[in-house]
Structures are given as structure tokens and as C-alpha cells.
């Protein structure tokens, strides 16, 4: 059956977003063209940069696989089982998203570094003078996995919440055991959520700068930053960024091939009644221990290191805790507006890609992911270039900062909303249209309520990512508009770990409260 023509307001909105998020790519092309074809070939054929590309691709692949091994069990345990303290783990296992990568990596180094770390000092009486090195591959894989798996967790959790329990019951009625039901019914339905979450994990691991730098790992972001910072060569840095874009587009192609045959995994309205809660029995405490270990490494460790520096400063230096309320207010305002804006503009893109598939809609959706794989400094420079030259009235204003967040983080909403839409039968929307509802009324009264888990998950992802965004905030925030991320960066740059600890704890507290409130509202909406 030929797909119907999409409503005009969806096409216009999605098209505007697609054009906006291609600005960084245009900026890179303009800059890279300045070095000429021969210079560009010499750069991209350099053996060092080819090694960096292989390192980056390998890191993204391993981190994505490990994130799936963590996220899928956590999502299942916190949604479908009688896990002790399930409500607490629902929030706690999401909180690593709120930890800036440079804070989390510093905590891991302070705990597990070869010499002078907490673990080495504890083992020193036993004759251990030096631990195995955490730098390089071990450190970057551990840190990236711990602080990116929630991208997949929220996506998979939204998929589980939107799944129709009758399909699992049908599997059991056919004689499937619980394990067979998981492999033959549940996981196939979660394929869109797994792919969407895995894409976000892979792209975020490629764009992160703090972890590869601290872990002394040669990745594209580190090489690009060195070009910008040390040689002030924006043209060569742009050429390296285009190599990163090539890697990002390769990942997008693989993702598209994996999910291109995706159908509607739920034929009725999603989750009309709550699913059956599985009793873990003797495995209850094994599951509890698994959640505890992940939370200790991803949340308690960064918090503990921050508390150590804060208490140490108070006891040794008569330290006065700074007034962080303005920074907290600015952080919540900017991140909240970013979450709202990206959710509004991601919805048309997701609807077009699922309900009205075509080459054009596929291009619009794929283009939304390009900027997310780029380092924040590249996207910020692109927005600065176009803003200063063509929209000076908006330069260094809050709307331009929110626009930059939109360009950076809209894929986080698109992926979650798309996976939720794939679980909703289009017949429900067709029924509303047959009853006289306009496309806008159908969207407001039928589609949005049914995909609310994806909307909420996407908004949470954007909020928790935007609140710790550093390069774009530094370059585009209004004068005097300091956020918690900026405060942490200033303190770290000045080697003032006491102030860095205060701001880090404030960020964790704000993120924990906001995540708890959002998840509570989501739970209330589903009941």
C-alpha cells in the first residue's frame, strides 16, 4: 500500500530542523576546502590519523556492546521484576548521565591509577607498589561504558514500558519458557529501542573529549582539539572533523541497514494494562548486587571523590562553599529549555521516518544524527561563524545557545520517539482520521499520548546531556551566564578541586532531583 502524503506542518518543521543541523557540516566543508585537494589528501592519508580512526571505531564498537550488556538487564530488572528497591534503582541507574565525563574519568583515575591512587595506597601494606595501568584502552572503555550506558538504558526502558503484555502472554500460551519468551518475543520487540540507544552510545563515545584526554587515548576529538588549541589551524581541524563525519556516516549506514526492515512490533495500542511482574526468587540478590556494583562505579565513586575534595578543603583550608544558586538556575533553565525544544522538533522527524517512509524522510532523519557525532567545539564554532556573520542580533543570546543544544542533541529525542512509534499501530491514528479528526488533532489526541514514554525519555536524555555540555556553553552563552559545567571547568582549569567538587555535587544533586521527578511523572502517567 502506497504511503499517504504527510501533513504539510510536519514536513515544514522537519525540513527546517534538517537544514539547521547541517550547518556544522557546511562549515567544515568551507574550512576544509581552504587547504586544497593535495593538502587534504596528505592529511587524511597520514598513518597517525588512520590509526586514530581505527581507534575511534574500535572504541565505539566495544563501548556500545558493553553498554548493551549493562542496559538491557538493568531495564528489565527495573521495569519487569520484583527487584528490591526497584524505584530507587530506576533513578540511580540513570544518574551516570549526569556525571560529566571529565569528572567521572578523574574519579576513576584517582581510584585506580597505577601509583598514588586510593586502591594502590590501600594495597601498599601488602607490597603492591604499582597497579596495572588504567590509561589507554582499559580506562577509556571503562569510563565510556559507565557514563554512556544510560543512553541505551532509557531507550530500552521506554521500549519495555510501551510493549503490549499480551504478546508475551501469547508466547507463554504457546509453551515458551520465560527464557524463550525473552529471546523470541521480548528482545525482537526491543530491536528499535536497542538500535536507537546503541546509536546514541556510539556517537557520544566518538564526540566526547574529556575521557580520551584524561585517559591518554588517541581519538579524533583529542586530535581535533590539539589542532584548534596548539596550532590554531582551523582548516586542518575541519579536515579531521570531516574524517570523523565519514566515520559517523558509516555508523549511520550500519544502523540503517540493521533496522531498515523494522515493522510495527506492537499491533494494538501499547501497554493498555500493566505487565506481569516477574518474581526473581533466589536471583533477587544477584540482581540487587549487579545494580549495586554499576551504581557504585557510575555514581557513588564520582560523588565520593568529589566529597573527599570538598571535605578536605573545608578541613584544611578554611574553605567557604561558593554561592552556586545562580549557576544552578542557569543550568536548569538552559537544559530544561533544550529538552523542551528538542522534543518539540524531534517529534515531526520521528513521525515522518516511521509513518511516511521515503528517501526524503530518510535523509531528514539521518541528517539529524550528523552533528551529534561531532565534538561540541566544532558545532559551537559553526554556530559562531554563521551567527556572527548572518544573525549578529542573536549572537551570544540564550536562544542561540538553545539552538546549539538543539543541533547537538536532537537525535536523542528522535531515537526514543521513533522506537515508541514503532510500537503503536498506525490503525489507531487512521481510526481517528476516519472519525473526522484533523492531522493536528490526531497528533495531539492520539499520537502524543501513545508515545509519551519516548517523549519523556528523550527529554530526560537531552536535559541530562545539555546540563553538562561545556564547549558550546562557554562559546555561546550570554555574558555572565555561568552554568555548573562552566563552574566545574573554571575550577579544574585553576586546579581548584574544592570548587570543582562543590559544583560537581550540585550538578549531581540537580540531575538526581530532576530525574526522579520526571520518572515519577512518567510512572504516574502510565498508571
Amino acid at each position: 500500500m502506497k504511503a499517504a502524503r504527510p501533513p504539510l506542518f510536519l514536513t515544514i518543521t522537519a525540513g527546517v530542523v534538517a537544514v539547521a543541523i547541517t550547518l556544522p557540516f557546511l562549515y567544515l566543508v568551507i574550512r576544509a576546502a581552504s587547504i586544497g585537494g593535495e593538502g587534504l589528501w596528505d592529511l587524511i592519508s597520514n598513518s597517525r590519523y588512520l590509526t586514530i580512526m581505527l581507534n575511534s571505531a574500535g572504541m565505539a564498537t566495544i563501548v556500545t556492546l558493553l553498554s548493551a550488556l549493562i542496559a538491557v538487564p538493568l531495564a528489565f530488572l527495573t521495569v519487569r521484576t520484583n527487584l528490591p528497591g526497584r524505584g530507587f534503582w530506576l533513578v540511580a541507574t540513570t544518574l551516570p548521565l549526569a556525571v560529566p565525563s571529565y569528572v567521572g574519568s578523574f574519579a576513576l583515575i584517582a581510584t585506580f591509577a597505577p601509583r598514588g591512587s586510593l586502591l594502590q595506597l590501600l594495597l601498599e601494606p601488602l607490597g603492591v607498589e604499582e597497579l596495572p595501568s588504567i590509561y589507554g584502552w582499559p580506562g577509556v572503555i571503562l569510563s565510556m561504558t559507565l557514563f554512556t550506558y544510560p543512553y541505551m538504558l532509557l531507550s530500552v526502558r521506554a521500549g519495555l514500558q510501551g510493549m503490549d503484555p499480551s504478546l508475551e502472554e501469547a508466547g507463554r500460551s504457546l509453551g515458551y519458557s520465560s527464557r524463550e519468551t525473552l529471546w523470541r518475543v521480548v528482545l525482537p520487540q526491543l530491536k528499535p529501542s536497542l538500535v536507537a540507544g546503541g546509536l546514541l552510545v556510539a556517537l557520544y563515545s566518538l564526540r566526547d573529549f574529556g575521557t580520551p584526554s584524561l585517559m591518554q587515548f588517541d581519538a579524533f576529538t583529542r586530535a581535533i582539539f590539539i589542532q584548534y588549541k596548539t596550532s590554531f589551524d582551523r582548516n586542518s581541524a575541519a579536515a579531521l572533523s570531516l574524517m570523523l563525519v565519514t566515520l559517523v556516516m558509516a555508523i549511520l549506514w550500519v544502523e540503517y541497514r540493521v533496522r531498515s526492515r523494522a515493522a510495527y512490533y506492537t499491533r494494538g495500542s501499547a501497554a493498555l494494562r500493566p505487565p506481569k511482574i516477574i518474581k526473581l526468587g533466589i536471583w533477587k540478590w544477584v540482581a540487587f548486587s549487579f545494580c549495586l556494583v554499576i551504581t557504585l562505579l557510575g555514581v557513588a565513586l564520582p560523588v565520593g571523590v568529589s566529597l573527599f575534595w570538598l571535605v578536605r578543603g573545608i578541613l584544611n583550608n578554611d574553605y567557604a562553599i561558593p554561592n552556586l544558586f545562580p549557576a544552578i538556575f542557569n543550568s536548569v533553565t538552559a537544559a530544561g529549555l533544550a529538552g523542551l525544544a528538542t522534543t518539540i522538533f524531534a517529534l515531526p522527524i520521528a513521525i515522518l521516518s516511521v509513518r511516511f517512509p521515503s528517501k526524503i524522510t530518510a535523509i531528514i532523519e539521518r541528517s539529524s544524527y550528523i552533528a551529534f557525532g561531532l565534538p561540541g567545539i566544532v558545532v559551537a564554532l559553526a554556530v559562531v561563524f554563521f551567527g556572527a556573520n548572518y544573525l549578529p542580533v542573536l549572537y551570544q543570546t540564550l536562544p542561540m545557545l538553545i539552538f546549539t543544544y538543539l543541533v547537538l542533541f536532537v537525535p536523542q529525542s528522535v531515537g526514543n520517539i521513533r522506537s515508541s512509534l514503532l510500537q503503536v499501530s498506525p490503525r489507531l491514528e487512521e481510526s481517528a482520521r476516519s472519525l473526522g479528526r484533523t492531522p493536528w488533532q490526531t497528533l495531539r489526541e492520539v499520537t502524543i499520548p501513545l508515545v509519551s514514554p519516548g517523549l519523556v525519555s528523550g527529554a530526560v536524555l537531552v536535559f541530562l546531556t545539555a546540563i553538562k555540555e561545556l564547549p558550546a556553553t562557554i562559546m555561546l552563552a550570554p555574558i555572565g551566564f555561568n552554568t555548573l559545567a562552566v563552574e566545574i571547568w573554571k575550577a579544574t582549569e585553576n586546579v581548584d578541586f574544592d570548587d570543582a567538587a562543590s559544583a560537581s555535587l550540585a550538578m549531581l544533586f540537580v540531575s538526581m532531583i530532576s530525574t526522579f521527578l520526571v520518572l515519577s511523572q512518567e510512572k504516574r502517567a502510565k498508571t
Side-chain angles (χ1 to χ4, degrees):
M1 181 176 178
K2 185 178 179 180
R5 178 175 297 180
L8 184 60
F9 71 90
L10 287 180
T11 304
I12 293 176
T13 305
V16 170
V17 177
V19 171
I21 57 187
T22 56
L23 291 181
F25 180 74
L26 295 177
Y27 168 79
L28 294 178
V29 172
I30 293 172
R31 284 290 186 186
S34 300
I35 66 176
E38 185 177 349
L40 183 61
W41 172 253
D42 291 339
L43 187 70
I44 63 177
S45 61
N46 187 296
S47 60
R48 177 174 179 268
Y49 294 131
L50 292 176
T51 301
I52 289 175
M53 175 173 279
L54 292 176
N55 286 348
S56 298
M59 175 193 64
T61 301
I62 296 173
V63 169
T64 301
L65 293 176
L66 292 179
S67 295
L69 293 177
I70 295 175
V72 173
L74 285 180
F76 189 77
L77 290 172
T78 54
V79 173
R80 293 295 185 87
T81 71
N82 64 336
L83 175 71
R86 188 173 61 159
F88 169 79
W89 297 120
L90 192 69
V91 177
T93 54
T94 307
L95 284 180
L97 266 183
V99 181
S101 62
Y102 40 89
V103 174
S105 298
F106 171 74
L108 290 174
I109 291 172
T111 306
F112 301 111
R115 299 183 64 88
S117 64
L118 177 61
L119 182 59
Q120 191 271 325
L121 293 176
L122 291 176
L123 296 177
E124 194 171 32
L126 301 178
V128 178
E129 297 182 357
E130 185 174 352
L131 297 175
S133 177
I134 192 176
Y135 297 104
W137 281 97
V140 78
I141 295 298
L142 176 61
S143 183
M144 282 293 189
T145 302
L146 284 175
F147 303 113
T148 58
Y149 81 83
Y151 287 110
M152 188 175 292
L153 173 62
L154 285 176
S155 180
V156 174
R157 188 180 288 163
L160 278 173
Q161 291 170 335
M163 192 179 297
D164 191 344
S166 63
L167 295 177
E168 297 170 68
E169 294 170 1
R172 294 190 183 94
S173 69
L174 294 174
Y176 290 169
S177 64
S178 297
R179 180 178 299 178
E180 290 174 328
T181 301
L182 174 65
W183 285 100
R184 297 187 180 186
V185 179
V186 176
L187 289 181
Q189 292 182 80
L190 289 178
K191 181 181 177 181
S193 300
L194 284 167
V195 172
L199 180 61
L200 292 178
V201 169
L203 295 183
Y204 187 89
S205 63
L206 289 177
R207 71 180 297 270
D208 185 65
F209 168 72
T211 297
S213 296
L214 289 175
M215 293 298 179
Q216 303 173 19
F217 181 80
D218 277 336
F220 264 121
T221 50
R222 191 181 180 196
I224 292 169
F225 181 81
I226 290 173
Q227 286 289 338
Y228 275 123
K229 190 74 174 177
T230 60
S231 63
F232 301 99
D233 187 355
R234 294 187 177 184
N235 297 333
S236 297
L240 291 177
S241 298
L242 285 178
M243 292 181 65
L244 181 56
V245 169
T246 302
L247 183 57
V248 169
M249 295 185 74
I251 293 174
L252 292 176
W253 181 82
V254 172
E255 183 266 349
Y256 178 77
R257 296 287 296 178
V258 169
R259 57 91 166 167
S260 59
R261 297 181 180 272
Y264 300 100
Y265 291 87
T266 300
R267 298 296 175 180
S269 61
L272 293 175
R273 50 194 171 79
K276 179 182 178 181
I277 298 299
I278 298 176
K279 298 186 182 300
L280 295 173
I282 60 174
W283 293 101
K284 179 185 300 183
W285 300 112
V286 175
F288 181 90
S289 300
F290 174 69
C291 295
L292 180 62
V293 170
I294 298 299
T295 304
L296 286 175
L297 290 173
V299 181
L301 184 61
V303 171
V305 171
S306 298
L307 280 173
F308 169 78
W309 282 106
L310 181 61
V311 173
R312 181 177 179 270
I314 293 175
L315 294 178
N316 297 339
N317 302 321
D318 295 326
Y319 174 69
I321 299 177
N323 180 17
L324 294 174
F325 287 105
I328 293 174
F329 177 80
N330 292 340
S331 297
V332 172
T333 299
L337 291 175
L340 178 62
T342 53
T343 302
I344 292 173
F345 286 101
L347 184 60
I349 296 176
I351 292 176
L352 286 176
S353 67
V354 175
R355 295 292 188 251
F356 307 97
S358 67
K359 291 183 178 179
I360 295 178
T361 56
I363 291 173
I364 291 176
E365 186 207 1
R366 296 297 86 196
S367 64
S368 69
Y369 284 86
I370 294 177
F372 187 70
L374 294 174
I377 187 174
V378 174
V379 177
L381 284 170
V383 175
V384 168
F385 174 79
F386 286 103
N389 287 281
Y390 303 105
L391 287 172
V393 68
L394 293 178
Y395 182 64
Q396 281 199 316
T397 63
L398 186 59
M400 180 162 281
L401 179 62
I402 301 304
F403 171 79
T404 307
Y405 288 158
L406 170 67
V407 172
L408 282 169
F409 306 130
V410 71
Q412 296 175 319
S413 287
V414 171
N416 282 275
I417 297 172
R418 188 182 188 282
S419 62
S420 292
L421 274 171
L422 283 171
Q423 294 179 323
V424 177
S425 172
R427 296 188 182 91
L428 297 173
E429 296 159 305
E430 293 168 1
S431 298
R433 294 295 305 276
S434 68
L435 293 174
R437 293 292 190 270
T438 64
W440 172 251
Q441 289 174 326
T442 302
L443 174 66
R444 187 183 66 232
E445 298 174 9
V446 179
T447 306
I448 291 179
L450 290 175
V451 300
S452 58
L455 292 171
V456 173
S457 294
V460 171
L461 279 174
V462 173
F463 180 90
L464 294 178
T465 308
I467 201 172
K468 61 183 181 180
E469 171 59 31
L470 184 59
T473 307
I474 291 176
M475 299 182 65
L476 292 164
I479 297 175
F481 191 86
N482 286 338
T483 65
L484 289 172
V486 175
E487 293 292 341
I488 294 172
W489 176 77
K490 287 181 178 179
T492 304
E493 189 180 46
N494 297 327
V495 199
D496 191 345
F497 293 121
D498 302 335
D499 282 346
S502 300
S504 298
L505 291 172
M507 179 179 290
L508 290 170
F509 177 76
V510 170
S511 300
M512 179 178 65
I513 296 300
S514 60
T515 304
F516 176 76
L517 292 175
V518 170
L519 292 177
S520 298
Q521 291 175 0
E522 178 184 342
K523 182 179 179 180
R524 190 181 303 114
K526 291 188 69 62
T527 58

